[in-house]
Amino acid sequence: MQQPSAPPALTVVIYLAAFALVLFRMSRPQRISVTRLWVAPALLVFVGIWVIYAEQSLAPSPTSYIVVATLLGIALGVPLGFLRGAHTPVQATPDPNVMLLGSALVPALIYVSAFAVRLLLHFVFPIGSVAGTVVGDGILVFAIAFLAVSYFAIYQKFVALEK
């Protein structure tokens, strides 16, 4: 029996709204606590693993393909994440464990583009397609690695400022 799903137009509208929010927030300087710095990557890792698991339980792909896609996503996400973290302005604030992050529009575009490409893959490839699933999972892992590593690099810059 086919599972009901949201109409494609509604899905696109939801994604566009989420993308616009991410781009808006990351295009302006933000005050962020050290704790909040780690919440976003932790949630994204959890959601990413859950999405990959859910998709694999519906339409399994060969494990070796998923491993290769995951490793490629990490291999691309880690250096770009360090690059993003290195180029994000970080300032200490008078409040302990709170920093001011400069705007990061280009990294936000990279991050949003990874999710947009994954969404487009679901429209191009049929549901359950091994190619669409594996490439989409690799892109999702790329976005997760990019965000987590960039926040780690930002944290390192903040710690250096606090000394």
PDB file of all heavy atoms in Angstrom, residues 44 52 69-82 84 106-115 117-118 134-150:
ATOM      1  N   LEU A  44      21.517  18.274  13.888  1.00  0.00           N
ATOM      2  CA  LEU A  44      21.648  17.940  12.476  1.00  0.00           C
ATOM      3  C   LEU A  44      22.191  16.531  12.289  1.00  0.00           C
ATOM      4  O   LEU A  44      21.730  15.797  11.417  1.00  0.00           O
ATOM      5  CB  LEU A  44      22.536  18.958  11.774  1.00  0.00           C
ATOM      6  CG  LEU A  44      22.592  18.826  10.266  1.00  0.00           C
ATOM      7  CD1 LEU A  44      21.207  18.995   9.651  1.00  0.00           C
ATOM      8  CD2 LEU A  44      23.535  19.840   9.689  1.00  0.00           C
ATOM      9  N   ILE A  52      18.677   9.072   6.946  1.00  0.00           N
ATOM     10  CA  ILE A  52      19.363   8.005   6.205  1.00  0.00           C
ATOM     11  C   ILE A  52      18.811   6.647   6.622  1.00  0.00           C
ATOM     12  O   ILE A  52      18.517   5.791   5.779  1.00  0.00           O
ATOM     13  CB  ILE A  52      20.888   8.085   6.411  1.00  0.00           C
ATOM     14  CG1 ILE A  52      21.426   9.340   5.708  1.00  0.00           C
ATOM     15  CG2 ILE A  52      21.580   6.830   5.894  1.00  0.00           C
ATOM     16  CD1 ILE A  52      22.876   9.660   6.039  1.00  0.00           C
ATOM     17  N   ALA A  69      29.582   6.755  -0.141  1.00  0.00           N
ATOM     18  CA  ALA A  69      28.943   8.078  -0.181  1.00  0.00           C
ATOM     19  C   ALA A  69      29.199   8.847   1.114  1.00  0.00           C
ATOM     20  O   ALA A  69      29.465  10.053   1.085  1.00  0.00           O
ATOM     21  CB  ALA A  69      27.443   7.926  -0.416  1.00  0.00           C
ATOM     22  N   THR A  70      29.144   8.146   2.237  1.00  0.00           N
ATOM     23  CA  THR A  70      29.402   8.778   3.531  1.00  0.00           C
ATOM     24  C   THR A  70      30.842   9.269   3.614  1.00  0.00           C
ATOM     25  O   THR A  70      31.104  10.406   4.037  1.00  0.00           O
ATOM     26  CB  THR A  70      29.106   7.795   4.680  1.00  0.00           C
ATOM     27  OG1 THR A  70      27.734   7.417   4.608  1.00  0.00           O
ATOM     28  CG2 THR A  70      29.397   8.403   6.030  1.00  0.00           C
ATOM     29  N   LEU A  71      31.791   8.442   3.202  1.00  0.00           N
ATOM     30  CA  LEU A  71      33.199   8.830   3.248  1.00  0.00           C
ATOM     31  C   LEU A  71      33.485  10.009   2.309  1.00  0.00           C
ATOM     32  O   LEU A  71      34.249  10.911   2.653  1.00  0.00           O
ATOM     33  CB  LEU A  71      34.100   7.639   2.920  1.00  0.00           C
ATOM     34  CG  LEU A  71      34.114   6.520   3.967  1.00  0.00           C
ATOM     35  CD1 LEU A  71      34.952   5.334   3.484  1.00  0.00           C
ATOM     36  CD2 LEU A  71      34.610   7.031   5.300  1.00  0.00           C
ATOM     37  N   LEU A  72      32.870  10.005   1.127  1.00  0.00           N
ATOM     38  CA  LEU A  72      33.044  11.135   0.206  1.00  0.00           C
ATOM     39  C   LEU A  72      32.436  12.414   0.782  1.00  0.00           C
ATOM     40  O   LEU A  72      33.016  13.497   0.664  1.00  0.00           O
ATOM     41  CB  LEU A  72      32.413  10.822  -1.152  1.00  0.00           C
ATOM     42  CG  LEU A  72      33.205   9.881  -2.056  1.00  0.00           C
ATOM     43  CD1 LEU A  72      32.385   9.508  -3.297  1.00  0.00           C
ATOM     44  CD2 LEU A  72      34.530  10.492  -2.457  1.00  0.00           C
ATOM     45  N   GLY A  73      31.265  12.289   1.401  1.00  0.00           N
ATOM     46  CA  GLY A  73      30.634  13.446   2.032  1.00  0.00           C
ATOM     47  C   GLY A  73      31.505  14.027   3.129  1.00  0.00           C
ATOM     48  O   GLY A  73      31.682  15.244   3.230  1.00  0.00           O
ATOM     49  N   ILE A  74      32.094  13.150   3.939  1.00  0.00           N
ATOM     50  CA  ILE A  74      32.992  13.599   5.009  1.00  0.00           C
ATOM     51  C   ILE A  74      34.257  14.205   4.412  1.00  0.00           C
ATOM     52  O   ILE A  74      34.725  15.260   4.857  1.00  0.00           O
ATOM     53  CB  ILE A  74      33.316  12.437   5.972  1.00  0.00           C
ATOM     54  CG1 ILE A  74      32.067  12.057   6.771  1.00  0.00           C
ATOM     55  CG2 ILE A  74      34.472  12.788   6.890  1.00  0.00           C
ATOM     56  CD1 ILE A  74      32.204  10.772   7.572  1.00  0.00           C
ATOM     57  N   ALA A  75      34.811  13.551   3.383  1.00  0.00           N
ATOM     58  CA  ALA A  75      36.050  14.038   2.764  1.00  0.00           C
ATOM     59  C   ALA A  75      35.872  15.428   2.156  1.00  0.00           C
ATOM     60  O   ALA A  75      36.810  16.232   2.161  1.00  0.00           O
ATOM     61  CB  ALA A  75      36.526  13.056   1.697  1.00  0.00           C
ATOM     62  N   LEU A  76      34.705  15.735   1.646  1.00  0.00           N
ATOM     63  CA  LEU A  76      34.450  17.065   1.086  1.00  0.00           C
ATOM     64  C   LEU A  76      34.015  18.058   2.162  1.00  0.00           C
ATOM     65  O   LEU A  76      34.352  19.237   2.096  1.00  0.00           O
ATOM     66  CB  LEU A  76      33.388  16.984  -0.009  1.00  0.00           C
ATOM     67  CG  LEU A  76      33.794  16.256  -1.280  1.00  0.00           C
ATOM     68  CD1 LEU A  76      32.593  16.093  -2.204  1.00  0.00           C
ATOM     69  CD2 LEU A  76      34.914  16.993  -1.989  1.00  0.00           C
ATOM     70  N   GLY A  77      33.255  17.601   3.127  1.00  0.00           N
ATOM     71  CA  GLY A  77      32.710  18.492   4.148  1.00  0.00           C
ATOM     72  C   GLY A  77      33.728  18.976   5.160  1.00  0.00           C
ATOM     73  O   GLY A  77      33.673  20.131   5.595  1.00  0.00           O
ATOM     74  N   VAL A  78      34.671  18.137   5.534  1.00  0.00           N
ATOM     75  CA  VAL A  78      35.645  18.504   6.567  1.00  0.00           C
ATOM     76  C   VAL A  78      36.542  19.666   6.119  1.00  0.00           C
ATOM     77  O   VAL A  78      36.638  20.676   6.824  1.00  0.00           O
ATOM     78  CB  VAL A  78      36.462  17.273   7.028  1.00  0.00           C
ATOM     79  CG1 VAL A  78      37.670  17.677   7.854  1.00  0.00           C
ATOM     80  CG2 VAL A  78      35.567  16.322   7.816  1.00  0.00           C
ATOM     81  N   PRO A  79      37.195  19.593   4.943  1.00  0.00           N
ATOM     82  CA  PRO A  79      38.051  20.731   4.583  1.00  0.00           C
ATOM     83  C   PRO A  79      37.264  22.018   4.332  1.00  0.00           C
ATOM     84  O   PRO A  79      37.702  23.103   4.716  1.00  0.00           O
ATOM     85  CB  PRO A  79      38.784  20.274   3.320  1.00  0.00           C
ATOM     86  CG  PRO A  79      38.120  19.048   2.865  1.00  0.00           C
ATOM     87  CD  PRO A  79      37.309  18.506   3.992  1.00  0.00           C
ATOM     88  N   LEU A  80      36.107  21.900   3.719  1.00  0.00           N
ATOM     89  CA  LEU A  80      35.292  23.100   3.495  1.00  0.00           C
ATOM     90  C   LEU A  80      34.765  23.660   4.816  1.00  0.00           C
ATOM     91  O   LEU A  80      34.624  24.872   4.959  1.00  0.00           O
ATOM     92  CB  LEU A  80      34.146  22.799   2.536  1.00  0.00           C
ATOM     93  CG  LEU A  80      34.559  22.602   1.073  1.00  0.00           C
ATOM     94  CD1 LEU A  80      33.378  22.181   0.226  1.00  0.00           C
ATOM     95  CD2 LEU A  80      35.205  23.857   0.523  1.00  0.00           C
ATOM     96  N   GLY A  81      34.485  22.788   5.772  1.00  0.00           N
ATOM     97  CA  GLY A  81      34.058  23.244   7.088  1.00  0.00           C
ATOM     98  C   GLY A  81      35.164  23.998   7.801  1.00  0.00           C
ATOM     99  O   GLY A  81      34.920  25.048   8.410  1.00  0.00           O
ATOM    100  N   PHE A  82      36.397  23.476   7.733  1.00  0.00           N
ATOM    101  CA  PHE A  82      37.528  24.201   8.335  1.00  0.00           C
ATOM    102  C   PHE A  82      37.741  25.536   7.628  1.00  0.00           C
ATOM    103  O   PHE A  82      38.042  26.540   8.275  1.00  0.00           O
ATOM    104  CB  PHE A  82      38.808  23.370   8.290  1.00  0.00           C
ATOM    105  CG  PHE A  82      38.965  22.445   9.461  1.00  0.00           C
ATOM    106  CD1 PHE A  82      39.054  21.079   9.278  1.00  0.00           C
ATOM    107  CD2 PHE A  82      39.031  22.937  10.760  1.00  0.00           C
ATOM    108  CE1 PHE A  82      39.193  20.216  10.354  1.00  0.00           C
ATOM    109  CE2 PHE A  82      39.180  22.088  11.845  1.00  0.00           C
ATOM    110  CZ  PHE A  82      39.252  20.727  11.638  1.00  0.00           C
ATOM    111  N   ARG A  84      35.435  27.348   6.159  1.00  0.00           N
ATOM    112  CA  ARG A  84      34.366  28.239   6.609  1.00  0.00           C
ATOM    113  C   ARG A  84      34.668  28.775   8.006  1.00  0.00           C
ATOM    114  O   ARG A  84      34.541  29.951   8.278  1.00  0.00           O
ATOM    115  CB  ARG A  84      33.030  27.510   6.626  1.00  0.00           C
ATOM    116  CG  ARG A  84      31.842  28.400   6.979  1.00  0.00           C
ATOM    117  CD  ARG A  84      31.383  28.200   8.389  1.00  0.00           C
ATOM    118  NE  ARG A  84      30.369  29.195   8.750  1.00  0.00           N
ATOM    119  CZ  ARG A  84      29.378  28.941   9.543  1.00  0.00           C
ATOM    120  NH1 ARG A  84      29.224  27.754  10.065  1.00  0.00           N
ATOM    121  NH2 ARG A  84      28.533  29.893   9.872  1.00  0.00           N
ATOM    122  N   VAL A 106      28.121  33.171   2.208  1.00  0.00           N
ATOM    123  CA  VAL A 106      28.634  32.167   1.274  1.00  0.00           C
ATOM    124  C   VAL A 106      28.560  30.765   1.889  1.00  0.00           C
ATOM    125  O   VAL A 106      28.066  29.832   1.246  1.00  0.00           O
ATOM    126  CB  VAL A 106      30.061  32.522   0.806  1.00  0.00           C
ATOM    127  CG1 VAL A 106      30.682  31.382   0.008  1.00  0.00           C
ATOM    128  CG2 VAL A 106      30.027  33.794  -0.028  1.00  0.00           C
ATOM    129  N   PRO A 107      29.009  30.556   3.136  1.00  0.00           N
ATOM    130  CA  PRO A 107      28.843  29.228   3.727  1.00  0.00           C
ATOM    131  C   PRO A 107      27.373  28.822   3.833  1.00  0.00           C
ATOM    132  O   PRO A 107      27.036  27.655   3.657  1.00  0.00           O
ATOM    133  CB  PRO A 107      29.474  29.357   5.109  1.00  0.00           C
ATOM    134  CG  PRO A 107      30.411  30.475   4.984  1.00  0.00           C
ATOM    135  CD  PRO A 107      29.810  31.415   4.000  1.00  0.00           C
ATOM    136  N   ALA A 108      26.508  29.780   4.103  1.00  0.00           N
ATOM    137  CA  ALA A 108      25.081  29.457   4.170  1.00  0.00           C
ATOM    138  C   ALA A 108      24.580  28.991   2.813  1.00  0.00           C
ATOM    139  O   ALA A 108      23.770  28.053   2.730  1.00  0.00           O
ATOM    140  CB  ALA A 108      24.286  30.670   4.646  1.00  0.00           C
ATOM    141  N   LEU A 109      25.045  29.626   1.749  1.00  0.00           N
ATOM    142  CA  LEU A 109      24.647  29.206   0.402  1.00  0.00           C
ATOM    143  C   LEU A 109      25.146  27.793   0.099  1.00  0.00           C
ATOM    144  O   LEU A 109      24.426  26.993  -0.501  1.00  0.00           O
ATOM    145  CB  LEU A 109      25.162  30.190  -0.641  1.00  0.00           C
ATOM    146  CG  LEU A 109      24.455  31.531  -0.693  1.00  0.00           C
ATOM    147  CD1 LEU A 109      25.193  32.497  -1.614  1.00  0.00           C
ATOM    148  CD2 LEU A 109      23.012  31.364  -1.148  1.00  0.00           C
ATOM    149  N   ILE A 110      26.371  27.479   0.525  1.00  0.00           N
ATOM    150  CA  ILE A 110      26.896  26.123   0.330  1.00  0.00           C
ATOM    151  C   ILE A 110      26.031  25.116   1.087  1.00  0.00           C
ATOM    152  O   ILE A 110      25.639  24.074   0.553  1.00  0.00           O
ATOM    153  CB  ILE A 110      28.364  26.037   0.802  1.00  0.00           C
ATOM    154  CG1 ILE A 110      29.260  26.845  -0.125  1.00  0.00           C
ATOM    155  CG2 ILE A 110      28.838  24.586   0.884  1.00  0.00           C
ATOM    156  CD1 ILE A 110      30.675  27.003   0.376  1.00  0.00           C
ATOM    157  N   TYR A 111      25.730  25.435   2.336  1.00  0.00           N
ATOM    158  CA  TYR A 111      24.940  24.546   3.181  1.00  0.00           C
ATOM    159  C   TYR A 111      23.539  24.324   2.605  1.00  0.00           C
ATOM    160  O   TYR A 111      23.075  23.196   2.471  1.00  0.00           O
ATOM    161  CB  TYR A 111      24.881  25.163   4.580  1.00  0.00           C
ATOM    162  CG  TYR A 111      24.125  24.375   5.592  1.00  0.00           C
ATOM    163  CD1 TYR A 111      24.618  23.178   6.067  1.00  0.00           C
ATOM    164  CD2 TYR A 111      22.916  24.832   6.088  1.00  0.00           C
ATOM    165  CE1 TYR A 111      23.928  22.458   7.005  1.00  0.00           C
ATOM    166  CE2 TYR A 111      22.218  24.115   7.032  1.00  0.00           C
ATOM    167  CZ  TYR A 111      22.730  22.928   7.483  1.00  0.00           C
ATOM    168  OH  TYR A 111      22.037  22.218   8.405  1.00  0.00           O
ATOM    169  N   VAL A 112      22.879  25.407   2.220  1.00  0.00           N
ATOM    170  CA  VAL A 112      21.526  25.316   1.674  1.00  0.00           C
ATOM    171  C   VAL A 112      21.539  24.602   0.325  1.00  0.00           C
ATOM    172  O   VAL A 112      20.637  23.815   0.020  1.00  0.00           O
ATOM    173  CB  VAL A 112      20.896  26.729   1.564  1.00  0.00           C
ATOM    174  CG1 VAL A 112      19.664  26.734   0.704  1.00  0.00           C
ATOM    175  CG2 VAL A 112      20.574  27.253   2.956  1.00  0.00           C
ATOM    176  N   SER A 113      22.567  24.844  -0.464  1.00  0.00           N
ATOM    177  CA  SER A 113      22.658  24.191  -1.776  1.00  0.00           C
ATOM    178  C   SER A 113      22.761  22.672  -1.639  1.00  0.00           C
ATOM    179  O   SER A 113      22.217  21.929  -2.464  1.00  0.00           O
ATOM    180  CB  SER A 113      23.857  24.721  -2.551  1.00  0.00           C
ATOM    181  OG  SER A 113      23.687  26.077  -2.846  1.00  0.00           O
ATOM    182  N   ALA A 114      23.467  22.200  -0.612  1.00  0.00           N
ATOM    183  CA  ALA A 114      23.571  20.750  -0.407  1.00  0.00           C
ATOM    184  C   ALA A 114      22.192  20.139  -0.189  1.00  0.00           C
ATOM    185  O   ALA A 114      21.862  19.094  -0.765  1.00  0.00           O
ATOM    186  CB  ALA A 114      24.475  20.452   0.791  1.00  0.00           C
ATOM    187  N   PHE A 115      21.360  20.796   0.606  1.00  0.00           N
ATOM    188  CA  PHE A 115      20.012  20.276   0.832  1.00  0.00           C
ATOM    189  C   PHE A 115      19.133  20.446  -0.404  1.00  0.00           C
ATOM    190  O   PHE A 115      18.285  19.607  -0.689  1.00  0.00           O
ATOM    191  CB  PHE A 115      19.378  20.950   2.054  1.00  0.00           C
ATOM    192  CG  PHE A 115      19.865  20.369   3.345  1.00  0.00           C
ATOM    193  CD1 PHE A 115      20.949  20.922   3.997  1.00  0.00           C
ATOM    194  CD2 PHE A 115      19.264  19.251   3.891  1.00  0.00           C
ATOM    195  CE1 PHE A 115      21.417  20.375   5.168  1.00  0.00           C
ATOM    196  CE2 PHE A 115      19.721  18.695   5.066  1.00  0.00           C
ATOM    197  CZ  PHE A 115      20.808  19.259   5.715  1.00  0.00           C
ATOM    198  N   VAL A 117      20.127  20.343  -3.553  1.00  0.00           N
ATOM    199  CA  VAL A 117      20.515  19.296  -4.502  1.00  0.00           C
ATOM    200  C   VAL A 117      19.904  17.965  -4.080  1.00  0.00           C
ATOM    201  O   VAL A 117      19.401  17.200  -4.914  1.00  0.00           O
ATOM    202  CB  VAL A 117      22.051  19.196  -4.619  1.00  0.00           C
ATOM    203  CG1 VAL A 117      22.483  17.941  -5.361  1.00  0.00           C
ATOM    204  CG2 VAL A 117      22.606  20.438  -5.306  1.00  0.00           C
ATOM    205  N   ARG A 118      19.923  17.695  -2.799  1.00  0.00           N
ATOM    206  CA  ARG A 118      19.312  16.440  -2.314  1.00  0.00           C
ATOM    207  C   ARG A 118      17.817  16.403  -2.620  1.00  0.00           C
ATOM    208  O   ARG A 118      17.285  15.381  -3.027  1.00  0.00           O
ATOM    209  CB  ARG A 118      19.543  16.293  -0.806  1.00  0.00           C
ATOM    210  CG  ARG A 118      19.120  14.940  -0.281  1.00  0.00           C
ATOM    211  CD  ARG A 118      19.569  14.772   1.162  1.00  0.00           C
ATOM    212  NE  ARG A 118      19.427  13.404   1.576  1.00  0.00           N
ATOM    213  CZ  ARG A 118      18.296  12.852   2.006  1.00  0.00           C
ATOM    214  NH1 ARG A 118      17.205  13.567   2.072  1.00  0.00           N
ATOM    215  NH2 ARG A 118      18.256  11.590   2.367  1.00  0.00           N
ATOM    216  N   VAL A 134      21.768   7.073  -2.654  1.00  0.00           N
ATOM    217  CA  VAL A 134      23.167   7.100  -2.238  1.00  0.00           C
ATOM    218  C   VAL A 134      23.765   8.494  -2.416  1.00  0.00           C
ATOM    219  O   VAL A 134      24.434   9.009  -1.513  1.00  0.00           O
ATOM    220  CB  VAL A 134      23.979   6.038  -3.015  1.00  0.00           C
ATOM    221  CG1 VAL A 134      25.468   6.204  -2.810  1.00  0.00           C
ATOM    222  CG2 VAL A 134      23.537   4.644  -2.598  1.00  0.00           C
ATOM    223  N   VAL A 135      23.517   9.129  -3.562  1.00  0.00           N
ATOM    224  CA  VAL A 135      24.054  10.472  -3.787  1.00  0.00           C
ATOM    225  C   VAL A 135      23.419  11.451  -2.795  1.00  0.00           C
ATOM    226  O   VAL A 135      24.102  12.301  -2.219  1.00  0.00           O
ATOM    227  CB  VAL A 135      23.834  10.920  -5.247  1.00  0.00           C
ATOM    228  CG1 VAL A 135      24.195  12.384  -5.440  1.00  0.00           C
ATOM    229  CG2 VAL A 135      24.642  10.046  -6.189  1.00  0.00           C
ATOM    230  N   GLY A 136      22.124  11.327  -2.570  1.00  0.00           N
ATOM    231  CA  GLY A 136      21.441  12.192  -1.603  1.00  0.00           C
ATOM    232  C   GLY A 136      21.983  12.025  -0.200  1.00  0.00           C
ATOM    233  O   GLY A 136      22.188  13.006   0.523  1.00  0.00           O
ATOM    234  N   ASP A 137      22.256  10.785   0.190  1.00  0.00           N
ATOM    235  CA  ASP A 137      22.836  10.542   1.514  1.00  0.00           C
ATOM    236  C   ASP A 137      24.243  11.120   1.614  1.00  0.00           C
ATOM    237  O   ASP A 137      24.612  11.691   2.641  1.00  0.00           O
ATOM    238  CB  ASP A 137      22.850   9.053   1.832  1.00  0.00           C
ATOM    239  CG  ASP A 137      21.463   8.481   2.062  1.00  0.00           C
ATOM    240  OD1 ASP A 137      20.510   9.276   2.188  1.00  0.00           O
ATOM    241  OD2 ASP A 137      21.324   7.240   2.105  1.00  0.00           O
ATOM    242  N   GLY A 138      25.032  10.983   0.563  1.00  0.00           N
ATOM    243  CA  GLY A 138      26.380  11.554   0.559  1.00  0.00           C
ATOM    244  C   GLY A 138      26.351  13.067   0.697  1.00  0.00           C
ATOM    245  O   GLY A 138      27.152  13.657   1.424  1.00  0.00           O
ATOM    246  N   ILE A 139      25.397  13.703   0.023  1.00  0.00           N
ATOM    247  CA  ILE A 139      25.261  15.159   0.111  1.00  0.00           C
ATOM    248  C   ILE A 139      24.812  15.564   1.510  1.00  0.00           C
ATOM    249  O   ILE A 139      25.277  16.563   2.063  1.00  0.00           O
ATOM    250  CB  ILE A 139      24.302  15.667  -0.979  1.00  0.00           C
ATOM    251  CG1 ILE A 139      24.971  15.524  -2.347  1.00  0.00           C
ATOM    252  CG2 ILE A 139      23.884  17.110  -0.735  1.00  0.00           C
ATOM    253  CD1 ILE A 139      24.064  15.776  -3.516  1.00  0.00           C
ATOM    254  N   LEU A 140      23.925  14.787   2.093  1.00  0.00           N
ATOM    255  CA  LEU A 140      23.483  15.073   3.459  1.00  0.00           C
ATOM    256  C   LEU A 140      24.650  14.950   4.441  1.00  0.00           C
ATOM    257  O   LEU A 140      24.830  15.802   5.314  1.00  0.00           O
ATOM    258  CB  LEU A 140      22.343  14.133   3.855  1.00  0.00           C
ATOM    259  CG  LEU A 140      21.718  14.353   5.215  1.00  0.00           C
ATOM    260  CD1 LEU A 140      21.078  15.739   5.292  1.00  0.00           C
ATOM    261  CD2 LEU A 140      20.663  13.284   5.473  1.00  0.00           C
ATOM    262  N   VAL A 141      25.455  13.933   4.289  1.00  0.00           N
ATOM    263  CA  VAL A 141      26.629  13.764   5.151  1.00  0.00           C
ATOM    264  C   VAL A 141      27.606  14.922   4.933  1.00  0.00           C
ATOM    265  O   VAL A 141      28.204  15.420   5.888  1.00  0.00           O
ATOM    266  CB  VAL A 141      27.310  12.398   4.900  1.00  0.00           C
ATOM    267  CG1 VAL A 141      28.664  12.315   5.581  1.00  0.00           C
ATOM    268  CG2 VAL A 141      26.402  11.268   5.368  1.00  0.00           C
ATOM    269  N   PHE A 142      27.756  15.362   3.685  1.00  0.00           N
ATOM    270  CA  PHE A 142      28.600  16.523   3.397  1.00  0.00           C
ATOM    271  C   PHE A 142      28.133  17.742   4.200  1.00  0.00           C
ATOM    272  O   PHE A 142      28.933  18.416   4.842  1.00  0.00           O
ATOM    273  CB  PHE A 142      28.582  16.841   1.899  1.00  0.00           C
ATOM    274  CG  PHE A 142      29.024  18.247   1.590  1.00  0.00           C
ATOM    275  CD1 PHE A 142      30.364  18.578   1.593  1.00  0.00           C
ATOM    276  CD2 PHE A 142      28.092  19.232   1.317  1.00  0.00           C
ATOM    277  CE1 PHE A 142      30.775  19.879   1.323  1.00  0.00           C
ATOM    278  CE2 PHE A 142      28.491  20.530   1.051  1.00  0.00           C
ATOM    279  CZ  PHE A 142      29.837  20.862   1.055  1.00  0.00           C
ATOM    280  N   ALA A 143      26.826  18.017   4.157  1.00  0.00           N
ATOM    281  CA  ALA A 143      26.288  19.188   4.860  1.00  0.00           C
ATOM    282  C   ALA A 143      26.492  19.064   6.367  1.00  0.00           C
ATOM    283  O   ALA A 143      26.834  20.044   7.037  1.00  0.00           O
ATOM    284  CB  ALA A 143      24.806  19.359   4.536  1.00  0.00           C
ATOM    285  N   ILE A 144      26.298  17.880   6.902  1.00  0.00           N
ATOM    286  CA  ILE A 144      26.493  17.658   8.338  1.00  0.00           C
ATOM    287  C   ILE A 144      27.956  17.863   8.721  1.00  0.00           C
ATOM    288  O   ILE A 144      28.268  18.557   9.687  1.00  0.00           O
ATOM    289  CB  ILE A 144      26.008  16.250   8.734  1.00  0.00           C
ATOM    290  CG1 ILE A 144      24.493  16.158   8.586  1.00  0.00           C
ATOM    291  CG2 ILE A 144      26.440  15.899  10.152  1.00  0.00           C
ATOM    292  CD1 ILE A 144      23.961  14.738   8.661  1.00  0.00           C
ATOM    293  N   ALA A 145      28.866  17.253   7.955  1.00  0.00           N
ATOM    294  CA  ALA A 145      30.295  17.392   8.248  1.00  0.00           C
ATOM    295  C   ALA A 145      30.729  18.848   8.108  1.00  0.00           C
ATOM    296  O   ALA A 145      31.486  19.364   8.936  1.00  0.00           O
ATOM    297  CB  ALA A 145      31.117  16.503   7.311  1.00  0.00           C
ATOM    298  N   PHE A 146      30.232  19.522   7.088  1.00  0.00           N
ATOM    299  CA  PHE A 146      30.559  20.927   6.853  1.00  0.00           C
ATOM    300  C   PHE A 146      30.164  21.774   8.053  1.00  0.00           C
ATOM    301  O   PHE A 146      30.965  22.563   8.567  1.00  0.00           O
ATOM    302  CB  PHE A 146      29.838  21.392   5.585  1.00  0.00           C
ATOM    303  CG  PHE A 146      29.953  22.859   5.309  1.00  0.00           C
ATOM    304  CD1 PHE A 146      31.100  23.379   4.753  1.00  0.00           C
ATOM    305  CD2 PHE A 146      28.908  23.709   5.599  1.00  0.00           C
ATOM    306  CE1 PHE A 146      31.209  24.737   4.495  1.00  0.00           C
ATOM    307  CE2 PHE A 146      29.004  25.061   5.354  1.00  0.00           C
ATOM    308  CZ  PHE A 146      30.158  25.582   4.797  1.00  0.00           C
ATOM    309  N   LEU A 147      28.939  21.604   8.531  1.00  0.00           N
ATOM    310  CA  LEU A 147      28.458  22.402   9.652  1.00  0.00           C
ATOM    311  C   LEU A 147      29.204  22.063  10.940  1.00  0.00           C
ATOM    312  O   LEU A 147      29.669  22.954  11.650  1.00  0.00           O
ATOM    313  CB  LEU A 147      26.960  22.203   9.856  1.00  0.00           C
ATOM    314  CG  LEU A 147      26.357  23.017  10.990  1.00  0.00           C
ATOM    315  CD1 LEU A 147      26.288  24.488  10.603  1.00  0.00           C
ATOM    316  CD2 LEU A 147      24.980  22.502  11.339  1.00  0.00           C
ATOM    317  N   ALA A 148      29.338  20.791  11.248  1.00  0.00           N
ATOM    318  CA  ALA A 148      29.979  20.381  12.504  1.00  0.00           C
ATOM    319  C   ALA A 148      31.438  20.831  12.555  1.00  0.00           C
ATOM    320  O   ALA A 148      31.889  21.375  13.572  1.00  0.00           O
ATOM    321  CB  ALA A 148      29.876  18.869  12.668  1.00  0.00           C
ATOM    322  N   VAL A 149      32.171  20.645  11.479  1.00  0.00           N
ATOM    323  CA  VAL A 149      33.580  21.022  11.475  1.00  0.00           C
ATOM    324  C   VAL A 149      33.746  22.537  11.491  1.00  0.00           C
ATOM    325  O   VAL A 149      34.646  23.057  12.160  1.00  0.00           O
ATOM    326  CB  VAL A 149      34.300  20.383  10.258  1.00  0.00           C
ATOM    327  CG1 VAL A 149      35.696  20.945  10.074  1.00  0.00           C
ATOM    328  CG2 VAL A 149      34.361  18.869  10.440  1.00  0.00           C
ATOM    329  N   SER A 150      32.870  23.245  10.790  1.00  0.00           N
ATOM    330  CA  SER A 150      32.985  24.708  10.809  1.00  0.00           C
ATOM    331  C   SER A 150      32.720  25.247  12.217  1.00  0.00           C
ATOM    332  O   SER A 150      33.402  26.160  12.671  1.00  0.00           O
ATOM    333  CB  SER A 150      32.046  25.356   9.791  1.00  0.00           C
ATOM    334  OG  SER A 150      30.701  25.148  10.135  1.00  0.00           O
TER     335      SER A 150
END
